[in-house]
Amino acid sequence: MSTALPSPNRVNATQSPKSATEAEAIRLAQAGDAAAFEHLYQLHSRRVYALCLRMVGNPSDAEDLMQEAFLQLFRKIGTFRGESAFSTWLHRMTVNVVLMRLRKKSLPAASLEETTEPDEETGGPRKDIGAPDLRLSGAVDRVNLERSIEKLPPGYRTVFVLHDVQGFEHNEIAGIMGCSVGNSKSQLHKARTRLRELLQEDLRDQARAERHAAKTQAGLGD
């Protein structure tokens, strides 16, 4: 007597979606298992939301974009072939969703295919432009930093968030953004340069406001 095989979209009785490995949950979700898809949502929604929030700076928009990204995932999970990490593939999809929204709002975007600027001495590509920027580490308060990140052009902001906030390596960012590793490093270098400029502008604005307040207070005291 032959034994019937279990349905491919039914979780094994000894393994619920919550206890399944990510790879198993992906396979089950691709076969149409809603509980497995929910498990993937629980695994990745927090980081996807954080990525959206960093890119758009608005919690309500970030929530909408996260939901849109997972709707895209629901529609396209069958196309995932495991050629990259699932998180990289999902983040690439999320970035595309966010960039599409930003383009619809006609916000200025920096090209991710700009050529890496040559080194002034050697004429070759700049080196180590993806190294940690100690001038940004601990130099400013969090509020000023968050405000300045929001002012970065979307292309710069995306690479900065992926590398310095989310912790992705440049080869992973290249896969997510569809650009070369050199372009990822170049964009990060430019993002950090612009971020320093924005932070300095904020500091100057604060200093002017404090001087103005001090003069006003002194005038009231006369």
Side-chain angles (χ1 to χ4, degrees), residues 139-150:
V140 293
D141 66 73
R142 187 176 182 85
V143 173
N144 284 345
L145 181 59
E146 294 281 355
R147 187 186 301 121
S148 295
I149 290 173
E150 290 174 13

Side-chain angles (χ1 to χ4, degrees), residues 111-117 129 156 159 170 173-174 178-190:
S111 171
L112 287 170
E113 291 304 323
E114 295 177 11
T115 304
T116 304
E117 296 178 355
I129 57 179
Y156 291 177
V159 175
H170 283 293
I173 296 172
C179 65
S180 68
V181 170
N183 283 331
S184 175
K185 291 182 178 181
S186 176
Q187 292 294 311
L188 180 63
H189 172 70
K190 293 172 184 177

Side-chain angles (χ1 to χ4, degrees), residues 91-129:
H91 280 70
R92 182 190 304 130
M93 187 180 299
T94 302
V95 167
N96 287 337
V97 167
V98 176
L99 290 179
M100 285 295 293
R101 174 75 64 86
L102 293 175
R103 290 188 190 107
K104 287 179 181 178
K105 289 186 175 182
S106 300
L107 293 177
S111 171
L112 287 170
E113 291 304 323
E114 295 177 11
T115 304
T116 304
E117 296 178 355
D119 186 274
E120 294 178 359
E121 295 182 1
T122 66
R126 289 183 185 272
K127 298 196 171 51
D128 297 327
I129 57 179

Side-chain angles (χ1 to χ4, degrees), residues 4 47 63 77 82 84 109 140 150 180 187 190 199 203 217:
R47 287 196 75 184
E63 180 73 26
I77 193 168
S84 63
V140 293
E150 290 174 13
S180 68
Q187 292 294 311
K190 293 172 184 177
L199 289 168
L203 290 174
Q217 187 66 29

Side-chain angles (χ1 to χ4, degrees), residues 19-52:
S19 64
T21 65
E22 181 183 79
E24 179 68 7
I26 291 168
R27 185 186 69 78
L28 291 168
Q30 288 176 326
D33 190 295
F37 187 85
E38 174 68 18
H39 179 51
L40 292 174
Y41 178 88
Q42 296 297 332
L43 284 176
H44 294 281
S45 59
R46 183 170 296 185
R47 287 196 75 184
V48 169
Y49 172 77
L51 176 58
C52 293

Side-chain angles (χ1 to χ4, degrees), residues 159-170:
V159 175
F160 179 84
V161 167
L162 288 172
H163 187 276
D164 283 13
V165 179
Q166 297 287 327
F168 284 95
E169 300 294 336
H170 283 293

